[in-house]
Amino acid sequence: MDERSVENTCEATGSTAELQEIARKLASLAQEIRSIAATPLGETVVLDESGDGSETAVD
């Protein structure tokens, strides 16, 4: 992961491609969080390769 902090960056340093990649990763993470939150207690969440959380495994 990139070690840059907010304090060490300038507002104009992020390219459009970088910002789109960050947005894509955040959207993927949000989907994983929704999948985990929607999973009933007692079930194990198994996220597939796309990260959409469509697969679950029952314990």
Side-chain angles (χ1 to χ4, degrees), residues 17-58:
E18 287 174 325
L19 294 175
Q20 288 175 339
E21 179 64 14
I22 291 169
R24 185 192 63 77
K25 288 178 181 180
L26 286 172
S28 176
L29 181 58
Q31 180 61 43
E32 289 179 17
I33 291 169
R34 281 191 295 272
S35 296
I36 292 167
T39 301
L41 293 176
E43 290 189 18
T44 303
V45 176
V46 179
L47 300 174
D48 64 7
E49 291 294 318
S50 68
D52 69 2
S54 59
E55 299 178 26
T56 59
V58 179

Side-chain angles (χ1 to χ4, degrees), residues 2 4 9-23:
D2 197 354
R4 292 182 288 175
T9 59
C10 159
E11 288 182 28
T13 60
S15 72
T16 302
E18 287 174 325
L19 294 175
Q20 288 175 339
E21 179 64 14
I22 291 169

